[in-house]
Amino acid sequence: MNIKKVIDRAKKVIINDKQLMFGVLGIIFLLVIVIFAPFISSQDPYYFGGDILNKVGENGHILGTNKMGQDVYSMIIYGTRTSLKVAVISALISGILGILIGGIAGFFGGKIDQIVSEIINIFMMLPTFFLILLIIALFGNSIINVMIVIGFTTWPSNAKLMRAQALSLRERTFVKAAIAMGETKSQILFKYIIPNGIFPVIANTTVGMSNAILTEAGLSFLGLGDPNTISWGQMIYEGKPYITSAWWVATYAGVAIVITVTIFYLLGDGLNHVLNPKHMTKRGV
């Protein structure tokens, strides 16, 4: 299959699924903002000016300023970078852990599967946000710690999906043929089980990106975000005392979170539709 056919097929898939199409367009929009942030923003978001709590449009500030004289519009633009970084890195950590742990448990079975399944159940019973709060309190609230903690506490759902896929795939004819040909278990796991079972995890991980953004915003809203990094959650936290007198400080950051989370949900649901074998067969993709 040449590149042109792959591109044409991808276009057909995206156009046929409205949720996926809007999700992809939304991601492109966010990436454009991230890449061209220095050109799109009107001022340096880290600059503390003398225009304190200016209203929307006052003194050239498109969305006003906060209590430190920072331009809200520029902070929204640069906050997109933080949100996407948190979403992608934490989701990658969660996805990789879930795929490896779930794949090993489902493929090898026996005691390994029993032990891993119990560990997954324990993690899923724990109040995740409380666990994140505890770890952040112990190890610090830098943005790197936040991303790592979110990734390490959200892998069980991916592991469960991958385990279910591995349990099904290990009974397939092509896997049994590989075993008969003398391939090792590790080769079979990485050549056949994971590549063929990864699709539901990809869709779930994409939805997990939106949850990562909400988690980071929640931590920042509670004052546990990284104070040295501009994020939408941090903006809401700082604008909370002024919600009645300077509503624009927190409101636009909240709107940005809602839009971004919606984009990731649309993308995740769209991928879930497209990567479902029944759906693909029905549409002739």
Side-chain angles (χ1 to χ4, degrees):
M1 186 180 290
N2 58 38
I3 296 176
K4 186 177 183 302
K5 286 184 178 179
V6 172
I7 294 173
D8 290 341
R9 182 181 177 184
K11 286 181 180 178
K12 180 182 177 183
V13 168
I14 293 171
I15 292 171
N16 286 341
D17 192 288
K18 298 301 181 185
Q19 283 183 304
L20 182 60
M21 184 176 69
F22 285 117
V24 170
L25 290 175
I27 291 297
I28 293 172
F29 171 70
L30 293 175
L31 289 175
V32 168
I33 292 176
V34 168
I35 295 169
F36 296 102
F39 307 100
I40 299 172
S41 58
S42 56
Q43 295 184 19
D44 181 356
Y46 292 95
Y47 173 71
F48 301 111
D51 299 329
I52 298 173
L53 295 178
N54 276 190
K55 295 180 180 180
V56 175
E58 188 176 350
N59 294 328
H61 299 287
I62 300 173
L63 299 180
T65 60
N66 64 5
K67 64 178 180 179
M68 304 297 291
Q70 293 170 283
D71 185 68
V72 172
Y73 168 73
S74 300
M75 293 178 75
I76 293 288
I77 296 297
Y78 276 82
T80 309
R81 286 183 169 182
T82 302
S83 292
L84 290 190
K85 187 193 302 182
V86 170
V88 172
I89 294 178
S90 60
L92 279 176
I93 294 172
S94 173
I96 291 170
L97 283 175
I99 289 167
L100 291 176
I101 295 172
I104 290 170
F107 177 61
F108 286 91
K111 289 185 178 180
I112 294 176
D113 185 29
Q114 290 177 4
I115 293 169
V116 172
S117 295
E118 289 302 320
I119 293 172
I120 292 173
N121 290 333
I122 290 170
F123 266 88
M124 295 195 79
M125 286 189 295
L126 290 173
T128 305
F129 193 75
F130 176 76
L131 183 62
I132 292 173
L133 288 177
L134 182 62
I135 297 173
I136 291 295
L138 291 173
F139 297 101
N141 60 344
S142 69
I143 195 67
I144 295 175
N145 285 351
V146 170
M147 291 186 292
I148 292 173
V149 167
I150 293 173
F152 272 91
T153 53
T154 55
W155 61 267
S157 61
N158 288 325
K160 264 202 159 182
L161 283 172
M162 190 65 219
R163 175 182 173 272
Q165 291 291 104
L167 285 171
S168 173
L169 288 168
R170 72 179 186 180
E171 303 299 330
R172 300 286 181 87
T173 304
F174 65 91
V175 173
K176 292 185 179 295
I179 295 172
M181 291 173 64
E183 294 197 44
T184 63
K185 288 189 174 182
S186 59
Q187 287 177 323
I188 295 169
L189 177 65
F190 288 101
K191 285 175 65 176
Y192 304 108
I193 301 297
I194 289 178
N196 286 284
I198 198 173
F199 300 111
V201 180
I202 292 174
N204 188 63
T205 301
T206 306
V207 175
M209 291 182 181
S210 59
N211 294 329
I213 293 172
L214 288 174
T215 301
E216 187 278 328
L219 290 170
S220 296
F221 182 75
L222 295 173
L224 294 174
D226 189 343
N228 300 314
T229 303
I230 291 177
S231 74
W232 296 330
Q234 193 75 19
M235 291 176 67
I236 295 174
Y237 171 71
E238 292 175 353
K240 184 172 57 174
Y242 305 96
I243 195 66
T244 55
S245 56
W247 55 268
W248 53 88
V249 178
T251 301
Y252 291 115
V255 171
I257 291 173
V258 171
I259 292 173
T260 305
V261 167
T262 302
I263 287 171
F264 277 108
Y265 268 118
L266 288 172
L267 183 64
D269 281 345
L271 286 173
N272 190 38
H273 296 159
V274 170
L275 297 177
N276 186 323
K278 293 180 181 178
H279 183 85
M280 294 171 68
T281 304
K282 185 178 177 181
R283 295 202 171 190
V285 178

